[in-house]
Amino acid sequence: MANIVMFAILSVVILGSAIICVTTKRIMRAATFMLFVLFGVAGMYFLLDYTFLGAAQISVYAGGVTMIYIFAIQLVNKRTLQGLVEKVKLSKLAVNALLVLVCFAVVVVVFMKNKFIDLYAQVADTEVPMETIGTALVGSEKYQYVLPFEFISVFLLACIIGGIVISRKE
């Protein structure tokens, strides 16, 4: 019962912070609420007893990526940020809302057609050993994730180099 309560609390924190992150007009508040989302995801990992993934989530994403975003935000000129404010028209909002509903309907149809919910109910009863998860994270075979991790590390390196180039004096 305690796990369900913690899951509900973390879900509310993640969803609320994500909504505020994308709707706020202040960029530092958006970065702060993104940090809350990343901490909430780490909490989900800890709730599932995946302590390694939770620690990696906190150190890599909540720590590293958020600091890169804040560093980039601080480098941007205040006048540039003030010029980015855009008024949202009602017609544009209606078109975007319709697009979101269509995408949501497509996802629901795919889930129902492929019976993902029934498949998840069968898989949820079995426990995956930590060795299998570790092999999937650092393996280079099909359905293993070492290549995406390498791409992400190159991307983060490019972000750091870009931040250094931008902050350099002319």
Side-chain angles (χ1 to χ4, degrees):
M1 182 66 179
N3 285 340
I4 295 173
V5 171
M6 279 306 297
F7 177 79
I9 291 170
L10 287 171
S11 298
V12 168
V13 167
I14 291 171
L15 290 174
S17 297
I19 290 170
I20 294 171
C21 177
V22 298
T23 57
T24 187
K25 292 183 180 180
R26 301 204 175 211
I27 196 161
M28 287 302 288
R29 286 186 187 166
T32 304
F33 282 108
M34 184 185 75
L35 180 66
F36 291 154
V37 169
L38 295 172
F39 275 130
V41 172
M44 289 283 192
Y45 287 138
F46 287 126
L47 189 63
L48 293 169
D49 289 330
Y50 292 141
T51 54
F52 174 74
L53 291 178
Q57 175 77 17
I58 289 174
S59 65
V60 173
Y61 293 106
V65 174
T66 304
M67 288 305 116
I68 289 173
Y69 284 151
I70 291 174
F71 180 66
I73 289 167
Q74 295 297 331
L75 288 175
V76 175
N77 191 352
K78 192 172 187 176
R79 290 183 199 150
T80 306
L81 288 177
Q82 289 172 348
L84 293 177
V85 176
E86 178 182 331
K87 301 275 182 173
V88 178
K89 295 180 182 176
L90 189 59
S91 62
K92 190 174 182 181
L93 184 67
V95 168
N96 289 340
L98 182 64
L99 183 64
V100 166
L101 288 175
V102 167
C103 290
F104 181 72
V106 167
V107 168
V108 168
V109 166
V110 168
F111 268 34
M112 297 305 219
K113 181 179 177 188
N114 293 320
K115 299 181 178 152
F116 281 135
I117 296 171
D118 295 336
L119 180 66
Y120 176 74
Q122 294 171 357
V123 173
D125 293 335
T126 62
E127 185 172 333
V128 179
M130 189 55 91
E131 183 179 338
T132 305
I133 294 172
T135 303
L137 284 176
V138 296
S140 60
E141 309 264 331
K142 188 175 183 181
Y143 303 118
Q144 294 180 345
Y145 298 103
V146 76
L147 193 59
F149 280 156
E150 292 299 323
F151 282 138
I152 290 170
S153 67
V154 170
F155 173 72
L156 290 175
L157 180 64
C159 290
I160 291 169
I161 292 171
I164 291 170
V165 168
I166 289 172
S167 67
R168 225 176 47 167
K169 292 194 177 192
E170 304 273 332

